Amino acid sequence: MWVTSSMPQVWDEEAAAKGGGAAAVTPAPAAAMLGSLAGWLSRTVQPQPPPPRVCGTEGGPPVTAPRLRLRDGRHLAYCESGVPRDQARFKVVFSHGFTGSREDSVRASQEVAEELGVYMVGFDRAGYGQSDPNPNRSVKSAALDVEELADALGLGPKFYVIGISLGCHAVWGALKYIPDRIAGAAMMAPVVNYWWPGFPPELAAEVYAKQEVGDQWALRVSHHAPGILHWWMDQSWLPTSTVVAGTTPLPNARDAEIRRNMQADGTFQQKREQATQQGIHESYYRDMTVMFGKWEFDPMALPEPPCPVHLWQGDEDGLVPVVLQRYLAGKLAWVNYHELPGTGHFLSAVPGLGDTVLRTLFGQKQ
């Protein structure tokens, strides 16, 4: 079958042309096939996703969360926690991960939040939950949404940012596009893009090939032919994302138990329904094309920002390869890297870690 993962492999030509930076490998026939398939579909099938069911519009889900209006007319839904905003010493914007929502957080204890004086605001990223879709969503737009949210809520000239999993692309974007606004940044199990030029090609190839075949192809389509991702993911006869399906093998026992319990009690499906209520294309699939698409910059080429940056990574993460995270942290001397032994991907569920993240980010002793 033409979707096997054993075909000859070549490097992304764009990355190679830029000077030998790493890129996720793509089987030689695969890139050509994806380009041809995308062109054929656009001429014949025209696989456009259904229009979004925008919250608050006729036929769309109701608006039940606090929202603010952005300069381009979109709305962002948000959720506040911790101490009252006007009493806070530290003000944090939290960017949720894939399948997440404004209600997600680092799960720090209320006692520590009060002791430190932490105010935190989470928000539905564009197209998720009750935040309006953004057809032009990008890494840069994610960072600017963070900045505009902070300004609308009066968080001051500088504020902290914390991201988890795929939501960390907004943190990288903030360090690139608004570094002077950031007082400190923390990333928890940040998803990596195999096409970032800073990764050694051989290492990226080796790690990429260890993914499930469906995930390899979902990422290839996200990168090379994002316009047909929604069509690809809808075809039962094609290999598609195990992450979306919730079937990715998880080597860490805690991760596996958490997912098993969430699927058993209905939480997994409830989170999916909440996240995708305006359309799975506007939430999950745009996440995939932004995260694994062609970035305007390589995080490993960023200059040192004027703020502390911390990164936490589990060494048994079944979704983010620890070897790539180690390499990235080794390239960026200004990243304070914290590797957690015997730990998987779901870091917010690690007992006490939320408190540690806050204390470390703010430079407060235990």
Side-chain angles (χ1 to χ4, degrees):
M1 189 176 179
W2 50 267
V3 293
T4 67
S5 59
S6 59
M7 292 182 278
Q9 295 176 328
V10 296
W11 303 113
D12 184 291
E13 294 180 0
E14 288 186 16
K18 291 179 181 178
V25 293
T26 301
M33 180 276 293
L34 287 174
S36 298
L37 179 60
W40 176 79
L41 285 170
S42 65
R43 293 191 303 271
T44 56
V45 182
Q46 295 184 337
Q48 297 301 314
R53 299 175 59 247
V54 179
C55 286
T57 63
E58 184 176 356
V63 175
T64 61
R67 302 203 306 175
L68 55 85
R69 187 179 179 89
L70 304 177
R71 286 188 293 269
D72 64 4
R74 290 183 295 116
H75 296 86
L76 279 188
Y78 63 93
C79 178
E80 299 171 294
S81 61
V83 304
R85 197 187 319 158
D86 59 357
Q87 299 176 21
R89 293 176 58 205
F90 303 105
K91 299 173 182 178
V92 183
V93 178
F94 182 82
S95 178
H96 68 75
F98 193 69
T99 77
S101 81
R102 64 188 180 277
E103 297 175 350
D104 293 349
S105 73
V106 298
R107 296 190 189 177
S109 66
Q110 183 64 22
E111 292 76 15
V112 169
E114 292 177 355
E115 173 196 336
L116 300 178
V118 181
Y119 162 87
M120 188 173 297
V121 57
F123 67 104
D124 289 333
R125 292 189 285 100
Y128 269 83
Q130 296 184 33
S131 287
D132 292 343
N134 181 1
N136 301 311
R137 186 143 72 96
S138 66
V139 176
K140 184 175 184 177
S141 75
L144 298 183
D145 281 358
V146 167
E147 181 182 38
E148 198 166 347
L149 172 67
D151 288 343
L153 294 176
L155 302 193
K158 284 183 178 287
F159 51 89
Y160 293 84
V161 289
I162 299 177
I164 193 164
S165 189
L166 191 145
C168 290
H169 74 275
V171 179
W172 286 120
L175 295 174
K176 166 67 176 179
Y177 297 110
I178 56 169
D180 292 336
R181 299 297 309 278
I182 307 304
M187 291 180 274
M188 303 171 68
V191 172
V192 299
N193 183 321
Y194 296 86
W195 285 264
W196 285 341
F199 286 133
E202 295 82 5
L203 180 61
E206 177 185 355
V207 177
Y208 192 86
K210 292 180 180 179
Q211 298 179 101
E212 296 295 294
V213 171
D215 294 308
Q216 293 183 45
W217 278 94
L219 267 58
R220 287 185 187 116
V221 175
S222 298
H223 185 81
H224 293 288
I228 66 167
L229 178 64
H230 62 281
W231 175 86
W232 184 283
M233 292 293 295
D234 200 37
Q235 308 306 307
S236 61
W237 55 278
L238 288 174
T240 57
S241 170
T242 69
V243 179
V244 172
T247 58
T248 310
L250 298 176
N252 178 262
R254 181 190 288 117
D255 280 1
E257 181 181 11
I258 289 171
R259 187 178 66 186
R260 185 166 54 250
N261 291 341
M262 289 177 62
Q263 291 173 336
D265 67 12
T267 303
F268 184 89
Q269 183 61 25
Q270 290 171 8
K271 285 177 65 68
R272 179 187 178 98
E273 291 173 358
Q274 179 181 355
T276 65
Q277 63 178 346
Q278 298 182 94
I280 195 169
H281 174 71
E282 298 298 339
S283 47
Y284 287 12
Y285 299 165
R286 284 206 191 277
D287 252 5
M288 294 166 66
T289 58
V290 169
M291 182 67 234
F292 301 108
K294 298 170 184 177
W295 284 40
E296 295 178 352
F297 66 96
D298 178 2
M300 284 170 277
L302 286 175
E304 182 173 358
C307 66
V309 178
H310 293 268
L311 191 159
W312 280 265
Q313 173 69 37
D315 69 352
E316 294 182 359
D317 193 323
L319 299 174
V320 180
V322 66
V323 293
L324 293 185
Q325 211 74 275
R326 289 170 182 162
Y327 185 86
L328 180 150
K331 288 273 287 187
L332 297 174
W334 43 266
V335 168
N336 298 284
Y337 180 62
H338 312 272
E339 188 167 304
L340 306 173
T343 304
H345 186 72
F346 303 146
L347 297 190
S348 62
V350 176
L353 182 60
D355 292 348
T356 298
V357 168
L358 294 186
R359 290 187 185 280
T360 304
L361 180 60
F362 306 142
Q364 304 296 305
K365 295 181 180 180
Q366 294 287 127

